[in-house]
Amino acid sequence: MSDLIYEGKAKKVFKGLEPHQYVLYFKDDATAFNAQKKDVIESKGILNQKIASQVFQYLENHEVQTHFIKSLSDREMLVEAVHIIPVEVIVRNITAGSLCKRLGIEENIKLDKPLIEFCLKSDALGDPIMMEEHIYIMNLATHEEIQHIRHEALKINTLLQKLFDDLGITLADFKLEFGKTQAGKIVLADEITPDGCRLWDQATGKILDKDRFRKDLGGLAEAYQEVLTRMTEKALA
Ligand code: TMP
Ligand code: ASP
């Protein structure tokens, strides 16, 4: 394969054959708590590449601009090259995870409207939560860009809630990353997979996301396979 540009915890990024394109390679590595907990889960990368490709295609079909070009193989996705804005955008529909831990809020409470949080994308600092003003003093993005990102995040949330609801799955929360193309356009980047979402089966309450790994519940690949199977059977439109 072509030159390695970057290796993250769950993916490698390679130069594509064409200019301004990258190839994302999805690994089987699973990490949590800023990589203090690590394991290799066979086939996770394949499942995530397939899930992310279907989700990006669905979002593209609904006029969301993303870096997705096409799936190349089980583990490889061709994307438009972007500079990732080092701000993780978390969208929450139901209380869970760090929101509850940090503020002492009860889990599993439906929010009246989606909550957007920003975290600094920094492994060294453990991805600290940040206020919008912190983004500006660090010059990570402009006010106009963040308003666009907020708008896109809410649109993506509405589309993803519908997508998962149609599969009998509740989308409690998820994390997005945005990137800037060569032309200066901001697009959805990174991945949307059960690694970065909280997905709960509506019939049984079963956890179908990376919380299975974080909480030592086991059966992670089986849960991701369940999500992929439902997506494939439903043939997302
Ligand atoms: P949190 O409750 O731990 O802040 O997580 C909120 C959502 O963001 C959850 O769906 C998992 C996802 N997430 C990531 O994708 N990467 C991360 O580094 C963290 C902390 C959370
Ligand atoms: N993504 C982070 C890590 O790999 C944290 C998490 O997802 O829980 O450590």
Side-chain angles (χ1 to χ4, degrees):
M1 211 172 349
S2 20
D3 317 41
L4 179 70
I5 292 177
Y6 173 81
E7 178 157 4
K9 295 194 285 279
K11 294 189 290 301
K12 291 181 187 176
V13 182
F14 293 92
K15 231 184 216 169
L17 293 175
E18 302 287 328
H20 314 312
Q21 292 187 351
Y22 290 160
V23 175
L24 303 185
Y25 177 93
F26 286 69
K27 305 191 287 183
D28 284 342
D29 299 352
T31 65
F33 314 117
N34 205 15
Q36 289 173 52
K37 184 179 167 104
K38 284 189 204 176
D39 205 349
V40 175
I41 295 174
E42 205 190 316
S43 83
K44 179 176 84 79
I46 297 174
L47 294 164
N48 275 351
Q49 190 284 129
K50 292 182 175 177
I51 292 170
S53 287
Q54 290 205 39
V55 173
F56 279 136
Q57 189 57 62
Y58 164 83
L59 292 173
E60 287 278 344
N61 293 349
H62 290 83
E63 272 105 50
V64 175
Q65 296 194 315
T66 79
H67 67 161
F68 180 71
I69 299 173
K70 63 178 177 180
S71 175
L72 293 175
S73 70
D74 274 359
R75 291 183 185 274
E76 293 167 309
M77 183 191 287
L78 186 67
V79 298
E80 189 172 358
V82 295
H83 281 291
I84 292 287
I85 297 171
V87 174
E88 298 192 349
V89 180
I90 293 172
V91 184
R92 299 182 186 272
N93 297 307
I94 302 177
T95 61
S98 69
L99 173 69
C100 300
K101 276 210 192 78
R102 194 179 329 105
L103 300 177
I105 298 173
E106 208 181 310
E107 294 213 359
N108 204 358
I109 310 274
K110 194 176 171 346
L111 298 168
D112 290 339
K113 61 184 180 97
L115 171 70
I116 295 184
E117 296 173 343
F118 299 108
C119 295
L120 178 65
K121 186 173 161 68
S122 163
D123 285 344
L125 298 174
D127 296 347
I129 190 162
M130 64 196 315
M131 295 170 64
E132 201 175 304
E133 285 78 1
H134 293 142
I135 299 175
Y136 306 138
I137 60 160
M138 292 177 77
N139 289 316
L140 303 179
T142 65
H143 187 266
E144 196 187 355
E145 287 167 347
I146 290 298
Q147 298 329 304
H148 174 68
I149 285 173
R150 276 187 182 278
H151 180 264
E152 290 300 288
L154 291 176
K155 181 160 97 185
I156 292 163
N157 183 43
T158 303
L159 288 165
L160 291 184
Q161 277 188 296
K162 177 169 185 323
L163 180 163
F164 285 112
D165 199 48
D166 285 349
L167 307 179
I169 295 171
T170 296
L171 175 64
D173 59 36
F174 58 99
K175 186 262 298 179
L176 299 173
E177 292 182 27
F178 290 85
K180 210 180 235 191
T181 66
Q182 183 81 2
K185 192 171 66 181
I186 292 191
V187 298
L188 178 66
D190 189 48
E191 64 180 68
I192 297 179
T193 65
D195 270 7
C197 300
R198 284 200 170 89
L199 303 171
W200 301 335
D201 181 53
Q202 287 170 358
T204 63
K206 185 179 169 185
I207 292 172
L208 298 173
D209 59 70
K210 203 167 82 175
D211 269 352
R212 298 205 72 80
F213 174 68
R214 297 189 189 96
K215 298 180 177 189
D216 289 320
L217 299 173
L220 182 119
E222 293 76 5
Y224 286 26
Q225 181 63 63
E226 178 67 36
V227 174
L228 177 62
T229 302
R230 289 192 205 182
M231 275 185 181
T232 309
E233 280 171 358
K234 196 86 190 178
L236 306 181

